[in-house]
Amino acid sequence: MELWVRVFRDRAAGLDGDEWTLELNDSIEPGRTQRGWNQYIRNSYAQFRCSLCRRSWPSKQVQVLFHFSRESSLRRGTVRVRRFKQKCRRCSAARMEEPSFTVENIDVMVEKLMEKIRIRCYGEEPPESNRNLRFDGRIEGPHERLHCEACLKGICSQSPAQ
């Protein structure tokens, strides 16, 4: 999370002199924002590692949920982030594991988040941006819906509910 906070601080420094904070919050739910809060969901590429068998796997279907709000009178804003987990398909007692993102993909996600904040909290026009997330290597096999926390919540881009 330290890397996320550092990238976020660098990008949030230019937000109209307001102080913004980023916090990890696994209790936020898609489609359930508090009054005055906004939501942004981003799909990304990440790596996972099973804490039981040590197997690792890549996924290009990792959902990241952001809830954000600005208190203009206090000149501050808050972003809550939830990184949806996956579990190992080989271990019967597998735990949901945290994704590991590259610095470049964190930077792109935070850049896109800043665009949403500028539009929704500061009334700015959408910028022209063509920067996308990257991943190296091949990903073989189907998306494991039964092992994807975002699929189980119905928000994964690979979920049948979409």
Side-chain angles (χ1 to χ4, degrees):
M1 196 60 199
E2 201 173 292
L3 182 58
W4 282 82
V5 171
R6 189 174 69 229
V7 170
F8 179 78
R9 270 197 206 122
D10 290 346
R11 293 237 175 235
L15 288 176
D16 199 28
D18 291 352
E19 182 181 327
W20 281 80
T21 57
L22 178 94
E23 57 191 44
L24 183 63
N25 187 326
D26 284 341
S27 69
I28 62 173
E29 293 287 337
R32 294 189 184 152
T33 56
Q34 293 176 316
R35 186 177 195 168
W37 286 73
N38 297 279
Q39 174 175 286
Y40 173 57
I41 300 174
R42 182 77 192 198
N43 185 47
S44 185
Y45 168 81
Q47 288 282 135
F48 293 88
R49 178 173 299 278
C50 179
S51 56
L52 298 175
C53 74
R54 310 310 283 165
R55 173 182 165 266
S56 65
W57 66 95
S59 176
K60 58 183 180 178
Q61 300 299 331
V62 182
Q63 303 298 314
V64 181
L65 172 66
F66 300 95
H67 285 182
F68 59 93
S69 179
R70 177 180 177 231
E71 297 177 62
S72 56
S73 62
L74 299 175
R75 311 253 343 152
R76 71 177 181 202
T78 303
V79 174
R80 296 176 181 151
V81 61
R82 178 177 182 176
R83 302 161 303 171
F84 284 87
K85 303 168 186 172
Q86 292 183 11
K87 63 182 175 179
C88 181
R89 68 177 183 219
R90 290 190 187 153
C91 294
S92 59
R95 301 177 193 135
M96 285 288 181
E97 305 291 351
E98 293 283 345
S100 176
F101 299 92
T102 64
V103 176
E104 184 178 30
N105 282 354
I106 292 171
D107 190 56
V108 172
M109 282 189 282
V110 170
E111 177 184 318
K112 300 295 185 185
L113 170 65
M114 287 297 126
E115 291 174 7
K116 298 297 182 194
I117 289 173
R118 288 180 180 283
I119 293 165
R120 295 182 187 160
C121 296
Y122 296 94
E124 294 182 15
E125 292 293 318
E128 292 183 30
S129 176
N130 295 326
R131 199 161 168 221
N132 291 314
L133 301 170
R134 330 182 25 229
F135 68 94
D136 296 319
R138 269 179 72 164
I139 298 179
E140 296 182 21
H143 181 64
E144 302 281 342
R145 290 186 178 110
L146 294 176
H147 302 278
C148 171
E149 182 183 29
C151 280
L152 298 174
K153 296 277 184 189
I155 68 153
C156 184
S157 59
Q158 294 294 301
S159 176
Q162 289 288 307

